[in-house]
């Protein structure tokens, strides 16, 4: 087998008219995109969050009080639903990047989500779709098979719809701000700050107004309102169609990843090449998937470079496309390398999501047992306690964007103040403190129950203010403002441009994995200890569970710092925004 040489390299390394095509594309799209598209795009995501959060924030109460599920089963149902909703974005991203494009994926997915919300609203409104009510010491009848099936059907539609919205909206919105001049940096970090701020506002509304309606007016109204909002969002999103900058799907990124893997495996016995100049490059062939610039060769994962080695069996001619199952360009090889390099950072987000999941399960149950009267007549809904987390997150985002970035910029010299890896590290550290504080608050709550003789009275209100939970909610909100936004920005920035929906899906799958990890932990702890009882939280040891999470997160941040230390930022050939990436590497 003969590899490429400097003399024959020019026969397969061509530039074509990629730059000219790119310039024309920028001119054609000059009047589209920009800030004018944001109301249409963000409204769609806000309505999705109103629907999702308006139910999931209070889902434990709905499952235990309306469907009479045991606590651990209800908690696992919540985390399984949230986990599935964060896993389906892989499917949505595949469809968007490969076939339909982001616009139509968002549109169809919103319609599917709407169908799920309609079924869910009907299940709450029709008495025959839920078990009969019970009061006092009466034994409650749990939902039967058909009633549970209707619930799960509605959750399935919601999870599928969410799978098309979540990976596409953030990437679609960021694409509206691509500068016409490819030498100008894209300030996507500003977009992601305000994108997440808008989500925070919608979550705040869901955690207060919708939760109050569910607890005090009725679940049919509490679910019907976000259902109407979801229907409206489809109409508004379609109205904005003429304004959007729509990028055509560049083919299946999963197929390209598989082709590189297969080609590298088929050539595994070929000796490696020390000089990357001998590897296959074709700018014209990669033009549709490299408008930001071609990816440079990197030294990591060298075994994949064999997919770009030209041999006699490839029979390559200048006028022909190669057989990608045998030969790939350096750019396509580096696409796979970029994804693989992101996976260790992706994995570090799992335990953060596991810790965050407790706000919608056991923290909610803590609040149910505490004094929640704000006045003699007004009782704070337990699910509305998450408002303190949302407020802390929103305030942190504003301070970060308006103050912290400016201060940090003077120290680091970076336009974004600190890079996204540093931002994530801060979030990890604050989350550790949040979980540790939650354990101490639980000790305080149980002490109050014991002093009042209420250990054996799970339905009684313990004379301790629910505002003792504010610190743990607030700390989780601050941690989210740092870690989650940094994580989302990391995936968008470091992913190959043709895989940005897929990269955003990876962000959601880390949350999915965190929710499933929570389910696994809760199941194992409940099975092998008395920490998490089903009916009487006062007799459990919830604080031990929180401290277990604290220890796991402490180990996780050590792992993360090691990964960040050795992470290599993706290198592009002619985009100035990635010069900053080199600087970031030296500072992490």
């Amino acid at each position: 087998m003969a590899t490429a040489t400097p003399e024959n390299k020019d026969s397969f390394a061509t530039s074509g008219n990629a730059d000219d095509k790119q310039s024309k594309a920028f001119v054609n799209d000059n009047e589209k995109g920009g800030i004018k598209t944001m109301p249409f795009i963000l409204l769609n995501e806000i309505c999705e969050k109103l629907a999702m959060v308006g139910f999931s924030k209070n889902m434990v109460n709905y499952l235990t009080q309306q469907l009479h599920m045991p606590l651990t089963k209800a908690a696992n149902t919540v985390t399984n639903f949230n986990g599935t909703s964060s896993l389906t974005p892989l499917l949505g991203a595949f469809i968007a990047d490969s076939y339909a494009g982001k616009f139509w994926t968002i549109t169809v997915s919103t319609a599917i989500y709407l169908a799920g919300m309609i079924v869910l609203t009907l299940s709450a409104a029709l008495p025959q779709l839920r078990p009969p009510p019970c009061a006092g010491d009466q034994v409650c009848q749990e939902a039967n098979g058909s009633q549970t099936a209707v619930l799960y059907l509605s959750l399935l539609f919601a999870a599928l719809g969410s799978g098309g919205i979540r990976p596409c909206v953030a990437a679609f919105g960021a694409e509206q701000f691509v500068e016409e001049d490819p030498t100008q940096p894209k300030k996507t970090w500003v977009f992601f700050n305000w994108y997440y701020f808008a989500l925070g506002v919608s979550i705040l509304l869901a955690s207060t107004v919708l939760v109050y309606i569910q607890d005090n007016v009725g679940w049919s109204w509490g679910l019907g309102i976000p259902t109407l909002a979801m229907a409206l969002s489809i109409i508004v999103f379609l109205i904005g169609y003429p304004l959007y900058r729509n990028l055509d799907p560049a083919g299946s990124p999963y197929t390209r990843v598989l082709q590189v893997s297969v080609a590298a495996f088929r050539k595994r016995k070929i000796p490696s090449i020390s000089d990357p100049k001998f590897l296959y490059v074709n700018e014209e062939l990669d033009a549709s998937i490299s408008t930001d610039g071609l990816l440079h060769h990197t030294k990591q994962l060298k075994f994949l470079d064999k997919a770009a080695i030209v041999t006699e069996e490839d029979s390559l001619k200048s006028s022909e496309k190669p057989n990608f199952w045998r030969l790939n360009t350096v750019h396509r090889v580096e696409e796979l390398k970029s994804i693989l390099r992101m996976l260790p950072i992706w994995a570090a987000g799992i335990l953060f999501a596991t810790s965050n999941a407790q706000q919608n399960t056991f923290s909610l149950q803590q609040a149910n047992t505490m004094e929640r009267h704000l006045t003699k007549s007004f009782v704070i809904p337990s699910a509305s306690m998450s408002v303190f987390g949302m407020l802390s997150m929103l305030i942190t985002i504003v301070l970060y964007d308006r103050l912290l970035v400016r201060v940090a910029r003077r120290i680091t010299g970076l336009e974004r103040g600190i890079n996204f890896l540093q931002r994530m590290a801060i979030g990890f550290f604050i989350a550790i403190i949040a979980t540790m504080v939650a354990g101490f608050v639980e000790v305080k709550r149980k002490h109050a129950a014991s002093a009042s003789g209420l250990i054996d009275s799970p339905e009684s209100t313990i004379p301790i203010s629910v505002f003792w939970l504010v610190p743990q909610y607030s700390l989780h909100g601050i941690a989210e403002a740092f870690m989650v936004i940094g994580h989302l920005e990391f995936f968008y920035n470091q992913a190959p441009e043709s895989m940005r929906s897929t990269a955003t899906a990876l962000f959601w799958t880390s949350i999915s994995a965190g929710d499933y990890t929570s389910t696994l932990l809760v199941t194992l702890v409940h099975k092998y200890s008395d920490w998490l009882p089903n009916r009487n939280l006062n007799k459990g040891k919830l604080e031990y569970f929180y401290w277990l999470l604290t220890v796991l997160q402490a180990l996780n941040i050590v792992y993360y710092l090691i990964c960040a230390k050795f992470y290599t930022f993706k290198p592009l050939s002619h985009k100035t925004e990635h010069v900053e990436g080199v600087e970031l590497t030296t500072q992490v």
Side-chain angles (χ1 to χ4, degrees):
M1 297 182 181
T3 57
T5 63
E7 289 76 19
N8 65 17
K9 180 176 181 292
D10 290 341
S11 66
F12 53 81
T14 60
S15 60
N17 298 319
D19 293 338
D20 293 338
K21 293 178 181 178
Q22 182 177 330
S23 300
K24 291 178 181 178
F26 285 131
V27 172
N28 293 338
D29 282 344
N30 189 36
E31 296 180 358
K32 293 190 175 184
I35 193 67
K36 59 182 176 292
T37 63
M38 287 303 98
F40 305 99
I41 295 173
L42 291 182
L43 180 62
N44 179 272
E45 182 71 355
I46 286 172
C47 289
E48 188 265 350
K49 277 293 176 288
L50 277 174
M52 173 71 76
V53 179
F55 181 57
S56 64
K57 281 290 181 185
N58 215 12
M59 189 189 296
V60 165
N61 284 340
Y62 180 76
L63 298 179
T64 56
Q65 297 171 10
Q66 300 294 319
L67 300 186
H68 308 147
M69 282 188 182
L71 175 57
T72 52
K73 181 179 179 180
N76 285 343
T77 299
V78 173
T79 51
N80 286 338
F81 168 61
N82 290 337
T84 304
S85 298
S86 299
L87 188 62
T88 52
L90 282 174
L91 175 62
F94 171 74
I95 294 172
D97 284 341
S98 306
Y99 305 108
K102 297 180 183 65
F103 172 81
W104 288 111
T105 301
I106 294 171
T107 302
V108 174
S109 298
T110 305
I112 295 173
Y113 202 129
L114 176 62
M117 287 301 299
I118 291 173
V119 174
L120 191 59
T121 303
L122 290 176
S123 71
L126 300 178
Q128 58 267 37
L129 296 181
R130 62 181 188 272
C134 61
D137 296 330
Q138 181 182 355
V139 177
C140 298
Q141 177 185 331
E142 190 175 342
N144 59 35
S146 59
Q147 292 166 342
T148 304
V150 171
L151 170 71
Y152 288 160
L153 178 64
S154 63
L155 296 183
L156 176 62
F157 275 114
L160 290 174
S162 180
I165 297 172
R166 287 183 173 184
C168 296
V169 171
F172 188 63
E175 286 174 356
Q176 306 307 310
F177 290 92
V178 174
E179 302 291 343
E180 289 78 13
D181 184 353
T183 64
Q184 295 296 318
K186 292 176 282 185
K187 297 182 179 179
T188 52
W189 62 273
V190 175
F191 165 74
F192 283 119
N193 275 344
W194 291 103
Y195 163 79
Y196 213 77
F197 182 88
L199 295 192
V201 171
S202 65
I203 294 173
L204 188 63
L205 289 173
S207 302
T208 52
V209 178
L210 287 181
V211 167
Y212 181 83
I213 291 173
Q214 290 165 359
D215 284 354
N216 295 277
V217 179
W219 278 92
S220 55
W221 278 102
L223 294 174
I225 291 174
T227 300
L228 292 175
M230 183 65 75
L232 177 63
S233 75
I234 299 178
I235 299 173
V236 174
F237 187 68
L238 289 172
I239 291 174
Y241 178 76
L243 303 176
Y244 302 141
R245 176 184 284 119
N246 285 302
L247 302 182
D248 294 330
S252 171
Y254 300 158
T255 300
R256 292 200 302 277
V257 164
L258 185 60
Q259 287 172 334
V260 171
S261 301
V262 170
F265 178 78
R266 295 176 72 172
K267 296 181 178 180
R268 63 191 182 280
K269 296 182 180 179
I270 298 177
S272 298
I273 292 179
S274 58
D275 190 345
K277 293 180 182 179
F278 294 98
L279 299 176
Y280 180 50
V281 177
N282 191 320
E283 294 185 19
E284 186 172 9
L285 186 63
D286 292 333
S288 63
I289 58 173
S290 61
T291 55
D292 283 354
L294 289 173
L295 291 169
H296 283 312
H297 174 266
T298 57
K299 296 180 180 179
Q300 292 83 12
L301 304 169
K302 290 184 178 181
F303 64 92
L304 292 175
D305 290 341
K306 294 185 178 182
I309 296 176
V310 180
T311 67
E312 292 177 349
E313 295 180 9
D314 292 315
S315 302
L316 188 67
K317 297 180 181 179
S318 59
S319 60
E320 295 180 351
K321 288 184 178 180
N323 176 4
F324 289 127
W325 297 100
R326 285 198 54 85
L327 178 65
N328 285 267
T329 63
V330 169
H331 179 84
R332 293 168 187 248
V333 171
E334 290 300 322
E335 281 188 326
L336 176 54
K337 286 186 181 182
S338 295
I339 296 295
L340 293 177
R341 282 195 296 263
M342 291 193 300
L343 292 182
I345 303 294
W346 168 86
I350 294 175
L351 280 175
F352 181 91
T354 299
S355 172
N356 235 19
Q358 311 317 313
Q359 295 183 85
N360 297 329
T361 55
F362 293 111
S363 294
L364 196 71
Q365 289 303 304
Q366 286 177 293
N368 282 337
T369 68
M370 302 169 79
E371 177 56 58
R372 293 182 283 119
H373 280 87
L374 195 60
T375 66
K376 289 184 178 181
S377 59
F378 181 79
V379 178
I380 301 173
S382 56
S384 291
M385 288 303 296
S386 60
V387 70
F388 294 101
M390 289 299 103
L391 285 174
S392 297
M393 185 193 73
L394 296 177
I395 292 171
T396 302
I397 291 175
V398 173
L399 290 177
Y400 182 91
D401 189 69
R402 297 301 177 184
L403 179 62
L404 296 179
V405 168
R406 297 178 184 180
V407 174
R409 187 181 294 155
R410 296 175 184 176
I411 300 173
T412 64
L414 299 177
E415 184 184 10
R416 67 178 78 225
I418 58 175
N419 65 57
F420 34 73
L421 292 182
Q422 293 166 335
R423 183 172 185 170
M424 290 165 61
I426 295 172
F428 281 129
F429 180 74
I430 297 173
I432 294 174
I433 299 175
T435 312
M436 182 171 58
V437 167
F440 287 114
V441 171
E442 174 62 7
V443 172
K444 176 73 175 178
R445 188 194 69 84
K446 287 202 307 179
H447 178 75
S450 178
S452 304
L454 298 176
I455 289 293
D456 295 318
S457 303
E459 302 298 328
S460 300
T461 299
I462 300 171
I464 179 174
S465 173
V466 74
F467 291 110
W468 276 93
L469 297 177
V470 170
Q472 66 196 61
Y473 276 103
S474 297
L475 285 169
H476 274 296
I478 296 171
E480 193 171 349
F482 280 95
M483 191 276 167
V484 175
I485 299 177
H487 210 199
L488 181 59
E489 185 188 358
F490 164 77
F491 283 117
Y492 183 85
N493 184 283
Q494 290 299 294
E497 64 182 81
S498 60
M499 299 184 183
R500 281 173 178 160
S501 293
T502 302
T504 309
L506 282 177
F507 163 79
W508 289 109
T509 56
S510 69
I511 298 176
S512 172
D515 287 324
Y516 287 130
T517 301
S518 176
T519 297
L520 178 62
L521 276 177
V522 169
T523 301
L524 292 177
V525 169
H526 177 68
K527 182 176 181 180
Y528 295 107
S529 75
D530 59 351
W531 295 2
L532 304 174
N534 268 326
R535 298 297 179 187
N536 189 350
L537 197 61
N538 298 333
K539 286 189 173 182
K541 296 181 177 65
L542 179 59
E543 67 273 18
Y544 290 176
F545 181 69
Y546 281 137
W547 290 335
L548 172 63
L549 286 175
T550 301
V551 172
L552 291 176
Q553 288 184 96
L555 296 174
N556 186 59
I557 196 172
V558 174
Y559 160 79
Y560 169 76
L561 291 174
I562 294 172
C563 293
K565 173 73 174 178
F566 294 101
Y567 181 76
T568 299
F569 286 78
K570 72 171 186 179
L572 282 182
S573 57
H574 54 76
K575 289 294 289 181
T576 57
E577 76 170 294
H578 295 283
V579 173
E580 180 182 326
V582 177
E583 297 174 0
L584 297 179
T585 306
T586 63
Q587 296 181 29
V588 173

